[in-house]
Amino acid sequence: MKIKNTTIELIKGDITTIEVDAIVNAANSSLLGGGGVDGAIHRKGGSQILEECKAIRNRQGGCKTGEAVYTTAGLLPAKYVIHTVGPVWSKENNKNNQLLTNCYYNSLSIAKNLQVTSIAFPNISTGVYKFPKKEAANIAINSVRSFLESENHHLKTVIFICFDDENYRLYQEILGD
Ligand code: ADP
């Protein structure tokens, strides 16, 4: 699928192996690392990413839900890691959808400022944070679409990396692959 001059790709796999300018991390607000994709990025990227996260934490006290910060990518093939904090899903919280939208939009805004041409997203909030996967996939794709349609940027490729079969199938259905 193409939006203006940007190709949207779908890949099943591990985001730490992808050669793009920027990968996005589904971080938590402490920025000190965690499980899931966050754990994998810090494990394979080495200690430099955590050191930079700690510096950001000292400067601004972590990262709020829906917002994003960036570091270099340490030992990973990417140049940058953009850390965004997805919402912890709960039935009662009607801000979930907006916050997840913000994660994708704010990550792309950082990518724009860094002048990156390729970026890969994991399925933010759909692991430990329990966001319903179909809803999360629709939000992810709509947020990316809206950014690409409305902003000037250098992005040639946006990749959705799905680690699990269910997310991969859902994205295939929505993107029509
Ligand atoms: P969250 O706390 O935002 O839910 P998780 O890391 O628990 O974050 O899960 C987010 C998504 O990342 C899940 O769909 C999970 O399957 C996926 N994931 C886990 N490890 C990796 C990885 N190495 N590469 C890409 N995606 C991953």
Side-chain angles (χ1 to χ4, degrees), residues 13-17 25-28 35-41 43-44 84-88 121-131 133 161-164 167:
D14 178 349
I15 202 165
T16 61
T17 65
N25 181 18
N28 60 56
V37 68
D38 196 8
I41 286 172
R43 219 168 24 249
K44 293 206 188 157
T84 187
V85 181
V88 180
F121 282 99
N123 308 131
I124 300 164
S125 282
T126 67
V128 177
Y129 285 1
K130 297 264 183 304
F131 209 109
K133 288 181 178 173
I161 311 266
C162 299
F163 197 64
D164 60 271
N167 267 316

Side-chain angles (χ1 to χ4, degrees), residues 20-24 70-73 78-82 114-116:
V20 284
D21 287 347
I23 61 169
V24 177
Y70 78 94
T71 64
T72 56
K79 292 189 193 122
Y80 302 105
V81 178
I82 297 172
L114 293 169
Q115 306 199 351
V116 310

Side-chain angles (χ1 to χ4, degrees), residues 72-140:
T72 56
L75 305 171
L76 299 174
K79 292 189 193 122
Y80 302 105
V81 178
I82 297 172
H83 306 261
T84 187
V85 181
V88 180
W89 194 81
S90 74
K91 243 198 295 214
E92 296 75 35
N93 187 351
N94 56 14
K95 294 203 180 95
N96 289 322
N97 291 9
Q98 186 60 51
L99 288 169
L100 190 58
T101 298
N102 295 352
C103 285
Y104 286 90
Y105 212 94
N106 289 330
S107 296
L108 289 169
S109 296
I110 289 183
K112 170 182 169 167
N113 292 338
L114 293 169
Q115 306 199 351
V116 310
T117 60
S118 53
I119 186 169
F121 282 99
N123 308 131
I124 300 164
S125 282
T126 67
V128 177
Y129 285 1
K130 297 264 183 304
F131 209 109
K133 288 181 178 173
K134 189 171 184 176
E135 243 174 288
N138 276 308
I139 289 169

